[in-house]
Amino acid sequence: MTVINGYEQSDREQKLTILNLPSLEAAAKKIIPSGGFGYISGGSEDEWTLKQNTMAFNHVQIVPRALTDMEQPSTQTQAFGIDLKTPIMMAPAAAQGLAHARGEAATAEGMAQVGALMAQSTYSSTSIADTAAAGKGAPQFFQLYMSKDWDFNQSLLDEAVKAGAKAIILTVDATVDGYREADIINNFQFPIPMANLTKFSEGDGKGKGIMEIYAAAAQKISPADVRRITEYTNLPVIVKGIQSPEDALLAIGAGAQGIYVSNHGGRQLNGGPASFDVLHEIAQAVNGRVPIIFDSGVRRGSHVFKALANGADLVALARPIIYGLALGGAQGVASVVSHLNDELLIDMQLAGTKTIEDVKRAKLLR
Amino acid sequence: MTVINGYEQSDREQKLTILNLPSLEAAAKKIIPSGGFGYISGGSEDEWTLKQNTMAFNHVQIVPRALTDMEQPSTQTQAFGIDLKTPIMMAPAAAQGLAHARGEAATAEGMAQVGALMAQSTYSSTSIADTAAAGKGAPQFFQLYMSKDWDFNQSLLDEAVKAGAKAIILTVDATVDGYREADIINNFQFPIPMANLTKFSEGDGKGKGIMEIYAAAAQKISPADVRRITEYTNLPVIVKGIQSPEDALLAIGAGAQGIYVSNHGGRQLNGGPASFDVLHEIAQAVNGRVPIIFDSGVRRGSHVFKALANGADLVALARPIIYGLALGGAQGVASVVSHLNDELLIDMQLAGTKTIEDVKRAKLLR
Amino acid sequence: MTVINGYEQSDREQKLTILNLPSLEAAAKKIIPSGGFGYISGGSEDEWTLKQNTMAFNHVQIVPRALTDMEQPSTQTQAFGIDLKTPIMMAPAAAQGLAHARGEAATAEGMAQVGALMAQSTYSSTSIADTAAAGKGAPQFFQLYMSKDWDFNQSLLDEAVKAGAKAIILTVDATVDGYREADIINNFQFPIPMANLTKFSEGDGKGKGIMEIYAAAAQKISPADVRRITEYTNLPVIVKGIQSPEDALLAIGAGAQGIYVSNHGGRQLNGGPASFDVLHEIAQAVNGRVPIIFDSGVRRGSHVFKALANGADLVALARPIIYGLALGGAQGVASVVSHLNDELLIDMQLAGTKTIEDVKRAKLLR
Amino acid sequence: MTVINGYEQSDREQKLTILNLPSLEAAAKKIIPSGGFGYISGGSEDEWTLKQNTMAFNHVQIVPRALTDMEQPSTQTQAFGIDLKTPIMMAPAAAQGLAHARGEAATAEGMAQVGALMAQSTYSSTSIADTAAAGKGAPQFFQLYMSKDWDFNQSLLDEAVKAGAKAIILTVDATVDGYREADIINNFQFPIPMANLTKFSEGDGKGKGIMEIYAAAAQKISPADVRRITEYTNLPVIVKGIQSPEDALLAIGAGAQGIYVSNHGGRQLNGGPASFDVLHEIAQAVNGRVPIIFDSGVRRGSHVFKALANGADLVALARPIIYGLALGGAQGVASVVSHLNDELLIDMQLAGTKTIEDVKRAKLLR
């Protein structure tokens, strides 16, 4: 255990025996301090949208198929020109030092171990360079919370390019933070510096609440900002936080080369739809112009399958992976993704889908 | 604590730290005597409609919007020619002396502190004049339970005009009181006089049950009564208790200058629809002819947002504000409205709606 | 308390203070022996249909109406040429001696006290003549379980005519008894003779299970049986146990002068629809040709209202009235009906319906 | 009690007094060792599909019918040219030695006692010959898990023919085993040999997990395999595990003479539909070309009725029968089927359906 500013960080490093992802939460709660756990696990207001995110997968069903003359399905896929062993990827969650002393570095290492894509948050506990190094050349995306300070944005993008990021994820759904009651109950302040904020005039984030952190970020984001960032960088820009066909088209019109359908894991606008419930309509509007990443509520192989069959090209999740990080460091992260991928493989076989492309074409029952 | 006729009234005066409005009920229950608490919190029969009132907000979802180039949303609005800092207003609930020794006077003071509209009930514990004075010039509406005694009605309307009321809310859904089981279980009698009833031949309401109080009111109300009141007063008359397009049109035809969609907080006809579920259809029938006030079940910023987006111009609530009154007097009232408004502001930013007019135009998912 | 064959019968006689009908069950359970209580309260199989019977009333909502220029609604109505103070009537439930020593005689007396219609079962604990006498001239219907022995049927019909019955209710949905698990768990045998069976060759019913009792009745019932009975008696014949438009039309075609929509209170075919859910379609098929009686699941004034608005002319219930019988004898019966009628009157006023005819024309929301 | 490899097998032999099938699970849990009980009772992942299997029967309702001029309904039926006393049959569940020392032999004996069809699994604890002998000439089907080793398949088919099997059920939905968490929690290994696997090069199954067992089976199954088997044997081949019209037609195209609609009791693809919810559409596609067997979730007579009315010709179940086997051996098996058939007979009478053919024509409400 590592203690930083009075906060007790896990420093476990071990493979995990995983029954299923939902069961990780209770285990992780025992070793993540309550403030950090509340920040990671909580949603906004009464968490209706958070709960719907997972329940909504039951709104459609996978058709079991037989007589399909297949075996040994594979989760290998390609997206954004990158070859991946699985469509499961890490969502760019902030402040993973809350879960483990090695933070995003361990997450990146674990994702690389299983050939899965890592995405790092602007508000990560470890720096872009350190996270990249830990991934040892495995593909990573960098997520940008656009600052009011354009120089800072450029500086981060420059660092990301230098570190070899394959794409920029621009988050646009957090212009103010959702009303997260767990953080208020815990009077939560970040105990651990955010490495990328040290250049920031306002400090490194330590000792601030999420409201203050977000306040330093731009609250006013328009298609022009998307265009400006796409023009500044040669990397593909993926716009994250899309929940409507209209915003997807605005983003693509502004030069976005990827759409990231997410409601921020139910942490932003409560009373909005389950992210899964809007995926299909958005995918129809996007119509294959750019790849789609999906997150919010994914806990089972069948959820990954349903998201892919409903229009996603990659499926991200964060909380269960962060719990794996707390419980087992890089190996814990790898264990979680590996387990989820195993569930997906079973579902693929039983649905008669040999490849991820087959899954994308699978019919769902409504 | 003030004791009147053996009833213990709160006399707290303090700002409240509020996590959310639903949590106020348990706290208020500890300090409001059980008879009073049952009267305030209860609904009719098995409270199906009361519960549906709040659950029905989940029948629609707010679409999170991004790339909207906005920040610093404002809840300022105008209705009935009045400038308000928020569309949230006090519903004209009776007998607030049950919750606090200062009754409606403190409520009016608290609403004024946050620039929100106060509405006072005929059955208020404090008089029209006292309530008005406590509001220090802030806008107030006066709610009329029409008496069988027309002179009494005129006398109340005259007092309301004299006290500066900006509009008259005529309640038409309480021609008999709903079957409220909590009052029966508690054998509830009003322990505190109703200030406006002292002129009433039947007495001041003290020691009577709600059934007796209502019995003194007119049970037979027709469009002609609405016309008569609109013709007697120069104030706009808003008809409260509308749950159907037909009644909305009848009221407007009779001269109503506002429609108040409400099922009396689930206290009247149980087995009727959630008030929110009929709002949209009524708003379509009203078609902008007059403003619409909505109440029944509002507990969250997202509920206010959804009511506005579904056709309301102002959104009222009573129970949570009365709980705030019990817990903190005028400052408690202000704390509740302020908190709810803060939740609304977050929702507005995340839905890309800078003004209340934008909220009214927002699309909801069904 | 009266003890008969070891079975302890209530002999209470008192007015009841009733909060609501659902609360009577727990009180009655304390004084009705477990075998009798299981027989009265239970349904078939896992009681899905029994539970749906009451829940289904929430499938529609009453529209609260205002500005209706009415007061003092009245539940007076006329059906089958009989003037009644209320559309609420007693369903012809068997073996009421299980609940009270005076059995159906007390029920008839209580129903008469409140001007409500009594219906007596073939399997009643008291005889046709005694039940009729207890009603002191108030209208009663006689319910016939058709025996395999036609002479017995004629004998019962003759007795009913002699006792002044106003109509015959022919039950056609109990050609075998439903799979009632409570009776099996309790190994329930009727401890009390069934007065009308004493002429029956097989005995008086005492010491038999419901399966044996029904076995003596005809299992094979056709429209020809309906015709035969309508031709034998000058009384109107009402066919009870109808759950489909087809059967309603068959019954009317065979001479039925009333249709009784019922699923036997969820005691017969489990896995069938809630009785309320099929009422509207049946009423449309009947199209006013004959009056409709409805039962199954009625517990609230709003249920009575909804049944009337959906096509019923009279609304019957049994269990809550039998609980009232156990708790207060004839006065208990009167208390239950009176309370339910009071709830109905509140609903009528709040829905703007002055008469039962108005209720029948009221629009329900779906 | 018999102890084999440390596993305690029931050797009870007695008639059971059965209240209902769902109640058997708790009783059986007390006498089946936890590993075996978990294997028998469990489903895959979070068992959503398993639970839906039974809940889905509530999606339709049986219309109670009266005036149908019938009595003494009969469950006698004919399918695949075989006369049966009931449409209820045993599903070909594996490894019944987990529940009882006599395993499938006792099951076959019990099914024969009540004139119901037995189906034996490839993975049975007793051999084809022993199971057949125990049935004493009563009709049996043999279920084939197709091995990668074609000689082994032929050998099993030859044995089945020799033993007098009336049809072959070819399971095609278990090309990999579902993610069954109970087995993982229990680290379950089969403690008892699988009699038909002794010729298998890989051994007799003892001490292996279900994953290993399935791994020896073919994972790649195509219509060509169905054709090959239909061409090899003169017996009708029924394809089991069909959940879509497409697969039903593929199977029939390949020579299948029966379709077995099943999702393996919720043990394979979780997140798929309830088996009952897809039955109707499949039956429409099959359009009477071949008979349909249905299983998954059947626990009540009304479930059997609904499955028949929705297109099934025979209705199978396994878990409750296996619980009966554990609790009472062959007589326990007979007791379970007999009880379920009794419930069905009641439902038939109350729905006015004298024969199984009438049930198949019955209208269901949706």
Side-chain angles (χ1 to χ4, degrees), chain A residues 102-113 126-138 140 330:
Chain A
R102 289 189 58 218
E104 287 78 2
T107 308
E109 186 181 318
M111 297 304 286
Q113 283 174 15
T126 59
S127 69
I128 295 175
D130 289 351
T131 308
K136 292 165 191 161
Q140 296 190 8

Side-chain angles (χ1 to χ4, degrees), chain C:
Chain C
M1 195 175 71
T2 306
V3 181
I4 175 168
N5 300 315
Y7 187 92
E8 300 181 351
Q9 290 175 305
S10 163
D11 48 17
R12 297 187 185 190
E13 183 59 40
Q14 60 185 1
K15 281 192 184 170
L16 302 175
T17 301
I18 294 175
L19 179 65
N20 56 51
L21 270 58
S23 66
L24 295 170
E25 186 163 280
K29 191 176 183 179
K30 292 180 187 162
I31 62 168
I32 303 175
S34 60
F37 182 78
Y39 172 74
I40 295 164
S41 63
S44 51
E45 291 196 11
D46 62 6
E47 302 190 337
W48 185 85
T49 296
L50 179 146
K51 287 168 203 142
Q52 287 292 313
N53 275 344
T54 296
M55 286 173 63
F57 290 106
N58 292 332
H59 295 174
V60 299
Q61 288 91 43
I62 306 170
V63 183
R65 290 304 302 268
L67 304 176
T68 51
D69 200 21
M70 64 149 282
E71 61 186 342
Q72 296 174 335
S74 164
T75 59
Q76 285 196 324
T77 190
Q78 205 194 49
F80 301 98
I82 306 165
D83 288 313
L84 295 160
K85 288 196 180 155
T86 174
I88 300 165
M89 65 173 278
M90 179 68 192
Q96 296 173 27
L98 295 172
H100 195 275
R102 291 189 57 218
E104 288 77 3
T107 308
E109 185 181 318
M111 296 305 285
Q113 282 174 16
V114 290
L117 188 61
M118 170 70 185
Q120 180 186 10
S121 168
T122 291
Y123 296 152
S124 57
S125 304
T126 59
S127 70
I128 295 176
D130 290 349
T131 308
K136 291 164 190 161
Q140 295 190 9
F141 287 1
F142 177 72
Q143 178 270 347
L144 181 68
Y145 275 118
M146 209 174 74
S147 171
K148 288 168 179 164
D149 176 352
W150 183 248
D151 290 340
F152 181 71
N153 293 330
Q154 290 189 339
S155 149
L156 284 179
L157 292 172
D158 292 347
E159 271 193 69
V161 168
K162 189 176 156 199
K166 303 292 186 200
I168 301 301
I169 296 172
L170 174 67
T171 299
V172 294
D173 68 348
T175 55
V176 66
D177 70 315
Y179 187 69
R180 302 179 195 171
E181 300 192 355
D183 290 347
I184 292 162
I185 292 169
N186 293 326
N187 192 21
F188 181 66
Q189 305 280 327
F190 288 102
I192 301 162
M194 292 170 172
N196 297 322
L197 302 198
T198 49
K199 301 179 178 180
F200 225 155
S201 52
E202 289 84 354
D204 62 6
K206 177 165 67 72
K208 295 195 178 178
I210 183 69
M211 280 198 208
E212 292 166 277
I213 299 289
Y214 278 173
Q219 293 190 279
K220 199 164 172 294
I221 303 181
S222 74
D225 296 300
V226 176
R227 272 199 305 278
R228 190 171 178 187
I229 289 167
T230 61
E231 284 163 9
Y232 180 78
T233 181
N234 287 323
L235 293 176
V237 173
I238 302 159
V239 178
K240 175 172 183 283
I242 300 298
Q243 291 281 281
S244 65
E246 292 86 344
D247 279 334
L249 295 174
L250 284 173
I252 292 170
Q257 290 175 261
I259 292 296
Y260 193 135
V261 174
S262 167
N263 61 23
H264 221 109
R267 298 161 76 85
Q268 291 294 102
L269 180 59
N270 194 48
S275 190
F276 182 71
D277 280 341
V278 295
L279 171 58
H280 186 63
E281 197 189 1
I282 295 172
Q284 287 186 308
V286 171
N287 199 19
R289 290 183 188 92
V290 300
I292 293 175
I293 303 176
F294 171 83
D295 80 20
S296 297
V298 174
R299 296 295 179 268
R300 288 283 181 180
S302 54
H303 301 167
V304 179
F305 187 106
K306 289 174 180 179
L308 293 168
N310 244 357
D313 294 285
L314 296 175
V315 179
L317 67 167
R319 290 185 185 92
I321 294 176
I322 294 173
Y323 299 144
L325 173 66
L327 294 163
Q331 292 179 69
V333 165
S335 298
V336 172
V337 177
S338 180
H339 175 87
L340 187 61
N341 208 56
D342 285 349
E343 285 190 11
L344 174 59
L345 281 165
I346 293 171
D347 295 333
M348 289 176 71
Q349 175 68 37
L350 297 177
T353 48
K354 190 171 173 64
T355 67
I356 295 301
E357 288 305 308
D358 290 342
V359 175
K360 291 183 192 175
R361 283 188 296 263
K363 188 180 76 172
L364 297 174
L365 286 180
R366 278 161 208 284

Side-chain angles (χ1 to χ4, degrees), chain D residues 93-291:
Chain D
Q96 295 173 28
L98 295 172
H100 196 275
R102 290 190 57 219
E104 287 78 2
T107 308
E109 185 180 319
M111 297 303 288
Q113 283 175 16
V114 289
L117 187 61
M118 170 70 184
Q120 179 185 11
S121 169
T122 291
Y123 297 152
S124 57
S125 304
T126 59
S127 70
I128 295 175
D130 289 351
T131 308
K136 292 165 191 161
Q140 296 190 7
F141 288 0
F142 177 72
Q143 176 271 344
L144 181 69
Y145 276 117
M146 207 174 76
S147 170
K148 288 168 181 163
D149 177 351
W150 184 248
D151 289 341
F152 181 71
N153 294 330
Q154 289 189 339
S155 149
L156 284 178
L157 292 172
D158 292 347
E159 272 194 68
V161 168
K162 188 175 157 197
K166 302 293 186 200
I168 300 300
I169 296 172
L170 174 67
T171 298
V172 294
D173 69 348
T175 55
V176 66
D177 70 313
Y179 187 70
R180 303 180 193 168
E181 300 193 355
D183 291 346
I184 293 163
I185 292 169
N186 293 326
N187 192 22
F188 180 65
Q189 305 280 324
F190 288 102
I192 301 161
M194 291 170 172
N196 297 322
L197 303 197
T198 50
K199 302 178 180 180
F200 223 157
S201 52
E202 290 85 353
D204 62 6
K206 177 164 66 71
K208 295 193 177 178
I210 183 69
M211 280 199 208
E212 292 165 277
I213 299 290
Y214 277 173
Q219 291 189 279
K220 199 163 172 295
I221 303 180
S222 74
D225 296 301
V226 176
R227 271 200 305 277
R228 191 170 177 186
I229 290 167
T230 61
E231 284 163 9
Y232 181 78
T233 181
N234 287 322
L235 294 175
V237 174
I238 302 158
V239 178
K240 174 172 183 283
I242 300 298
Q243 291 280 281
S244 65
E246 292 86 344
D247 279 333
L249 296 173
L250 284 173
I252 293 170
Q257 289 175 263
I259 292 297
Y260 194 135
V261 174
S262 166
N263 62 23
H264 221 110
R267 298 160 77 83
Q268 290 293 100
L269 181 58
N270 194 47
S275 190
F276 182 70
D277 280 340
V278 296
L279 172 58
H280 185 63
E281 197 189 1
I282 295 171
Q284 287 187 308
V286 170
N287 199 21
R289 289 182 189 93
V290 300

Side-chain angles (χ1 to χ4, degrees), chain B residues 125 159 291:
Chain B
S125 303
E159 270 194 71

Side-chain angles (χ1 to χ4, degrees), chain D residues 12-16 18 21 24 86 88-91 96 99-100 102-119 317-341:
Chain D
R12 298 188 184 191
E13 184 58 42
Q14 60 185 358
K15 281 194 184 168
L16 303 176
I18 293 176
L21 271 58
L24 295 170
T86 174
I88 300 166
M89 65 173 279
M90 179 68 191
Q96 295 173 28
H100 196 275
R102 290 190 57 219
E104 287 78 2
T107 308
E109 185 180 319
M111 297 303 288
Q113 283 175 16
V114 289
L117 187 61
M118 170 70 184
L317 68 167
R319 290 185 184 93
I321 295 176
I322 295 174
Y323 298 145
L325 172 66
L327 293 162
Q331 292 179 69
V333 165
S335 298
V336 171
V337 177
S338 180
H339 175 88
L340 187 62
N341 208 55

